[in-house]
Amino acid sequence: MNSIKRFDFFPFPVLLGFLLMLGCDGNNQVPTYVTTGVVHFEGKPMKGGGAISFVPVGKQTGMPAGGSIAEDGTFVMSTYGEGDGSVPGKFRVTIMQTTAAEPTMTQNEDGSEPTMATEPTVTVRPEDTIPLTYADPLNTPLEVEVMAQENNELTIELKRQ
């Protein structure tokens, strides 16, 4: 059960907020374009949800985009504000999957004080867990290109390696 401990509680919202604050002076913002999509693993929507980020390939201006992946594998990218999309360009894609939920309180059948579970609750079976390569910005095989157009709808296909 070693897979439970990896990236389960990654502080993505904190990282995204920090990245958004770095480039939000309003005057020098590179235009963004709505960027949405779905992440598939072995042909089906990725289970468990997680986080997605775009890492620029080469030199380009603007902030990198990031977003949350919903339980059904869908995502909406954000750069300067919630859901505003991504700047145009080529990007490496990193994906971190949530495979467990925080421990919860359980009511005891005998009516005594509720107890806290000692382990996280596994939410994604091992056979539905994506390879760690996709979370590594240096080794991820995924790349996308965001075009300077009104809507970029992406489908990202992940495979066992």
Side-chain angles (χ1 to χ4, degrees):
M1 291 300 215
N2 193 10
S3 66
I4 294 174
K5 303 264 188 250
R6 54 183 201 146
F7 302 114
D8 295 331
F9 306 107
F10 184 78
F12 180 73
V14 174
L15 176 62
L16 180 60
F18 176 73
L19 290 174
L20 293 175
M21 286 189 305
L22 286 176
C24 288
D25 70 358
N27 297 329
N28 298 323
Q29 290 184 352
V30 175
T32 58
Y33 299 90
V34 174
T35 306
T36 61
V38 64
V39 178
H40 287 142
F41 179 53
E42 296 291 327
K44 299 175 188 167
M46 184 185 87
K47 297 189 184 208
I52 183 169
S53 62
F54 289 177
V55 179
V57 174
K59 294 180 181 178
Q60 65 187 46
T61 58
M63 297 287 298
S68 295
I69 302 171
E71 293 279 335
D72 63 357
T74 59
F75 63 89
V76 176
M77 300 304 288
S78 300
T79 300
Y80 303 111
E82 185 71 29
D84 66 348
S86 173
V87 299
K90 291 185 180 182
F91 301 91
R92 273 201 150 129
V93 179
T94 60
I95 296 176
M96 289 163 272
Q97 182 182 36
T98 302
T99 59
E102 293 185 35
T104 58
M105 297 290 283
T106 55
Q107 185 66 40
N108 295 323
E109 291 179 16
D110 63 6
S112 62
E113 289 283 322
T115 56
M116 176 67 85
T118 58
E119 294 291 323
T121 303
V122 176
T123 58
V124 177
R125 299 180 318 207
E127 60 268 20
D128 294 325
T129 302
I130 67 171
L132 284 175
T133 303
Y134 295 116
D136 184 346
L138 299 176
N139 294 311
T140 180
L142 303 172
E143 285 194 7
V144 296
E145 183 170 3
V146 174
M147 307 300 286
Q149 62 190 29
E150 191 171 315
N151 191 19
N152 291 272
E153 182 70 31
L154 307 173
T155 299
I156 299 174
E157 300 287 342
L158 309 180
K159 300 177 186 172
R160 284 184 178 68
Q161 297 175 330

